[in-house]
């Protein structure tokens, strides 16, 4: 990746109160907004952006409130501690609501614009950094009919035209839309005709990105190739969007408003050829505690289009589903509005996972296909699977959208057709993407172990010893396809399953597509041990990094707490990262900074699973505790004077640790997975012999 030019941050909706003893909200969490902005300032200073943009609702009192000046003073005192410049975007609390009959507060007017300018400065303006042009506008003005609206519109059109040769980024408060560009007007979008006017400028000038606030949740959209990021708040979550999650809210969440895992900032690293966004969760800071800053990994995600090694995920839950948000007697009372749960996308980005597996149905559906296209523009690629032979229409669809795809996974049924090899070659030529083959196992009859009758749908070769894999290769002479699909059952060691499949496929000049199950092989047996599934996920990620000839997919993103095969995932049902998901994020981030590694070798003892892999001039160890104790001794063979430790990374927190060199009874403890880089390779000879 080329050298980073600069970094900026975006924050939204701090809603500062005029005093620390809030008297203007029925929610206890609202009293914490000032403290949460102070914490956010410390996080930003640690992340060290070159500047920050606040996309509006700096304060909570609206312009007609007598406490407006006091809240402004509190806001300025808090952000005055920032070490880098801050640029402000007017929000509806700062300058008045957009003009519409259904808005609950005072609408924008010329006196409110004057009030904003006296306290905050210009309400539309632009600035430059390197080859980038940054534009701020006042979206409360759009459709207002005020003279200031016409002035802003003329200025914006002229400014975009004058800077047509630059990468231009637009910062607004109101999102143009939440779910689709043709949705009806509601509290959380820009009404027509102003919406179409603004989107036409976005399309005509091919803006690099648009950043919005107002919704206090994460939404990701795309318009004419431009990504639109709607950001969570630093202060609280909008409770109406809790309907996106098929799970209840604990009492401390205040019905979703105080779900602190969703608070945070967006950091954007700017490179000559791309923008790399990262969401950094600020969580909450207990009173008197030191700030905890989530580790940032600017290499996530890497360049779009690269077929880099790494872990992929099966998107079993519908990841583009539109939810009907109930009218709530709060902000939208007279019409329903639609929204998607985009937190799965955010979780995937955070964990550095861009290889995704979906059914062909997703590519066939126009709305899902649009989401695939938007994600592909930021580096994601899809393996699309299909049972049986594709129709001519499906083949044409695959051919037209081959730029979104890593591979077509074809699940075939036995007995094999006599002319299968020739048909596969013709199919691969038509679709224009690699073709991977999987074996369909009968939906009824004897199970794999022959012990019981089952009524399950299953597929994938059982491993290198599966006679069906050899039969397929002999039947087709290994021609007409590019990879074999293997299934690593829950009772199979993940490293052996991946390396064995990769080695077998490589001997035949093929790729291995390996499905690692976190679920049990029984639909009634729960696998809810989050630590055990986390070890399995981290082991799969580490092994896949050393096996670039394999595409490895986990079967689970979020917890499955109903239906068949209940199991623990990497995020919970609110799509907040669990400890295991955070560890995977930090593992992928650390590996992205390191050179290529060989396939790891593994050692097991009752307490630990340890993977050891050679790199160019060092040795890399992934140490995974297997027990449930909070603190465990490091393996004895790591406590030697001749090991030169270059790095010890706590994967759960992302923190660098000092190698324990004092009292072995107190210093040699481990409370979670860690990654250790050694300047010597002797450990492999001693521990893995």
């Amino acid at each position: 990746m080329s050298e980073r030019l600069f970094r900026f941050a975006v924050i939204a909706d701090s809603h500062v109160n005029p005093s620390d003893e809030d008297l203007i909200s029925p929610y206890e969490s609202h009293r914490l907004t000032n403290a949460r902005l102070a914490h956010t300032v410390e996080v930003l200073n640690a992340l060290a952006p070159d500047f920050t943009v606040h996309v509006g609702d700096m304060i909570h009192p609206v312009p007609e409130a007598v406490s407006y000046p006091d809240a402004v003073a509190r806001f300025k005192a808090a952000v005055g501690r920032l070490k880098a410049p801050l640029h402000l975007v007017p929000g509806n609390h700062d300058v008045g609501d957009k003009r519409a009959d259904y808005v609950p507060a005072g609408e924008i007017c010329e006196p409110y614009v004057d009030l904003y300018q006296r306290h905050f400065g210009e309400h539309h303006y632009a600035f430059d950094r390197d080859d980038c042009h940054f534009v701020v506008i006042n979206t409360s003005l759009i459709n207002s009919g005020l003279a200031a609206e016409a002035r802003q519109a003329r200025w914006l059109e002229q400014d975009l035209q004058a800077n047509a040769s630059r990468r231009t980024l637009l910062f607004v408060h109101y999102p143009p839309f939440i779910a689709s560009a043709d949705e009806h007007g509601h509290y959380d979008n820009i009404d027509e005709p102003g919406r179409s006017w603004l989107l036409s400028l976005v399309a005509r000038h091919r803006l690099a990105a648009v950043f919005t606030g107002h919704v206090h949740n994460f939404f990701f959209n795309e318009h004419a190739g431009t990504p639109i990021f709607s950001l969570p708040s630093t202060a609280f979550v909008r409770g109406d969007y809790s309907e996106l999650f098929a799970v209840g809210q604990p009492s401390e969440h205040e019905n979703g408003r105080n779900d602190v895992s969703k608070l945070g900032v967006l950091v954007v690293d700017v490179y000559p050829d791309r923008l790399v966004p990262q969401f950094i969760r600020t969580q909450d800071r207990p009173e008197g505690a030191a700030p905890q800053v989530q580790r940032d990994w600017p290499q996530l995600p890497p360049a779009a289009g690269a077929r880099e090694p790494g872990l992929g995920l099966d998107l079993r839950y519908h990841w583009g589903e539109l939810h009907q948000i109930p009218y709530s007697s709060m902000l939208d009372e007279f019409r329903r509005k639609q929204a998607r749960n985009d937190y799965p996308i955010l979780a995937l980005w955070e964990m550095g996972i861009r290889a995704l597996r979906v059914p062909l149905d997703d590519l066939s559906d126009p709305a899902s296909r649009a989401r695939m296209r938007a994600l592909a523009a930021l580096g994601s690629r899809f393996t699309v699977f299909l049972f049986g032979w594709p129709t001519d229409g499906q083949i044409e669809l695959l051919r037209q959208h081959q730029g979104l795809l890593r591979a077509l996974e074809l699940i075939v049924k036995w007995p094999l057709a006599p002319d299968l090899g020739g048909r596969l070659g013709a199919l691969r030529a038509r679709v224009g993407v690699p073709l991977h083959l999987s074996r369909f196992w009968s939906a009824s009859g004897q199970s794999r172990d022959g012990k019981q009758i089952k009524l399950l749908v299953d597929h994938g070769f059982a491993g290198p010893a599966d006679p069906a894999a050899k039969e397929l290769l002999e039947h087709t002479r290994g021609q007409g396809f590019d990879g074999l699909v293997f299934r690593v059952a829950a009772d199979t060691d993940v490293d052996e399953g991946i390396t064995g499949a990769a080695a077998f496929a490589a001997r035949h000049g093929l790729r291995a597509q390996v499905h690692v199950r976190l679920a049990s092989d029984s639909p009634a047996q729960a696998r809810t041990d989050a630590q055990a599934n986390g070890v399995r996920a981290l082991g799969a990620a580490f092994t896949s990094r050393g096996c670039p000839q394999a595409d490895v997919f986990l079967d689970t993103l979020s917890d499955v707490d109903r239906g068949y095969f209940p199991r623990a995932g990497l995020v919970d049902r609110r799509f907040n990262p669990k400890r295991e998901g955070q560890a995977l994020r930090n593992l992928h981030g650390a590996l992205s900074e390191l050179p290529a590694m060989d396939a790891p070798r593994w050692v097991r003892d009752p307490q630990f699973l340890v993977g050891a892999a050679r790199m160019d001039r060092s040795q890399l160890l992934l140490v995974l505790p297997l027990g449930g104790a909070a603190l465990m001794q490091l393996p004895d063979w790591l406590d030697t004077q001749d090991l030169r430790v270059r790095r010890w990374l706590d994967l759960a927190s992302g923190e660098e640790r000092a190698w324990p060199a004092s009292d072995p009874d107190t210093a040699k403890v481990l409370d979670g997975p860690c990654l250790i880089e050694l300047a010597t390779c002797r450990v492999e000879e001693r521990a893995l012999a």
Side-chain angles (χ1 to χ4, degrees), residues 443-636:
S444 63
Q446 279 197 334
S447 65
R448 291 174 188 260
D449 58 15
K451 295 180 180 179
Q452 61 182 4
I453 301 299
K454 67 171 188 174
L455 296 172
L456 302 175
V457 174
D458 199 357
H459 80 99
F461 296 102
D466 189 339
K470 298 175 182 178
E471 179 186 350
L472 175 67
L473 291 169
E474 293 172 358
H475 188 87
T476 61
R477 299 181 182 178
Q479 302 297 312
F481 59 100
D482 304 275
L484 292 172
V485 178
F486 296 88
R487 178 185 187 276
V488 181
D491 59 355
T492 301
D493 291 333
V494 65
D495 52 294
E496 294 178 3
I498 295 173
T499 56
F504 177 83
R507 286 198 298 271
H508 297 279
L510 301 169
R511 289 188 69 81
Q513 180 178 315
V514 187
H515 298 177
V516 175
R517 287 182 64 82
L518 300 184
S520 167
D521 283 335
S522 167
Q525 181 180 357
R527 288 178 58 93
T528 55
D529 186 335
Q531 183 188 23
N533 274 3
V535 166
R536 196 163 174 82
L538 292 168
F542 194 64
T543 304
S544 67
R545 188 77 182 187
C547 296
Q549 69 275 32
D551 297 331
V552 180
F553 292 95
L554 291 179
D555 68 5
T556 307
L557 172 60
S558 66
D559 290 344
V560 177
D561 59 1
R562 65 204 71 182
Y564 307 117
F565 302 103
R567 56 196 181 271
L570 301 171
V571 300
D572 63 24
R573 288 303 297 265
R574 297 174 193 88
F575 293 89
N576 293 328
K578 298 166 69 172
R579 179 182 174 94
E580 293 72 29
Q582 290 280 47
L584 182 59
R585 173 187 184 272
N586 290 319
L587 175 61
H588 269 149
L591 292 176
S592 73
E593 296 183 343
L594 296 172
M597 65 184 224
D598 293 340
R601 298 169 61 193
W602 294 83
V603 60
R604 291 171 174 81
D605 67 29
Q607 283 190 299
F608 293 95
L609 173 64
V610 180
R614 293 180 184 272
M615 295 189 299
D616 185 21
R617 296 181 179 178
S618 62
Q619 179 88 8
L620 201 59
L621 301 180
L622 176 66
V623 184
L624 302 173
L626 299 176
L631 297 175
M632 290 170 284
Q633 294 286 347
L634 284 169
D636 289 339

Side-chain angles (χ1 to χ4, degrees), residues 38-74:
H39 172 51
T40 300
V41 166
E42 293 182 290
V43 171
L44 288 169
N45 286 337
L47 295 170
D50 292 277
F51 60 87
T52 297
V53 183
H54 192 312
V55 289
D57 281 3
M58 279 76 75
I59 63 173
H60 191 70
V62 291
E64 61 262 37
V66 296
S67 57
Y68 185 99
D70 294 334
V72 172
R74 291 272 179 167

Side-chain angles (χ1 to χ4, degrees), residues 206-236:
R206 299 180 180 179
L207 300 191
V210 177
F211 301 89
T212 89
H214 187 65
V215 289
H216 293 233
N217 281 272
F218 175 75
F219 296 111
F220 170 66
N221 283 291
E222 176 266 349
H223 181 73
T226 296
I228 303 175
F229 302 94
S230 296
L231 302 185
S233 164
T234 66
F236 58 87

Side-chain angles (χ1 to χ4, degrees), residues 302-308 376 378-381 403:
R307 194 181 178 111
E308 76 285 350
L378 293 176
S380 295
R381 288 296 180 272

Side-chain angles (χ1 to χ4, degrees), residues 400-441:
Q400 290 178 0
H401 300 286
Q402 58 185 263
L404 307 179
L405 307 180
R406 287 171 70 97
L408 169 62
E409 174 190 333
L410 196 64
I411 303 159
V412 297
K413 194 171 183 178
W414 262 243
L416 300 171
D419 60 345
L420 181 63
R423 294 179 66 197
L424 290 171
L427 174 61
R428 180 175 58 178
R430 291 181 66 185
V431 299
V433 298
L435 184 60
H436 296 175
L437 293 190
S438 179
R439 177 191 177 179
F440 172 74
W441 291 78

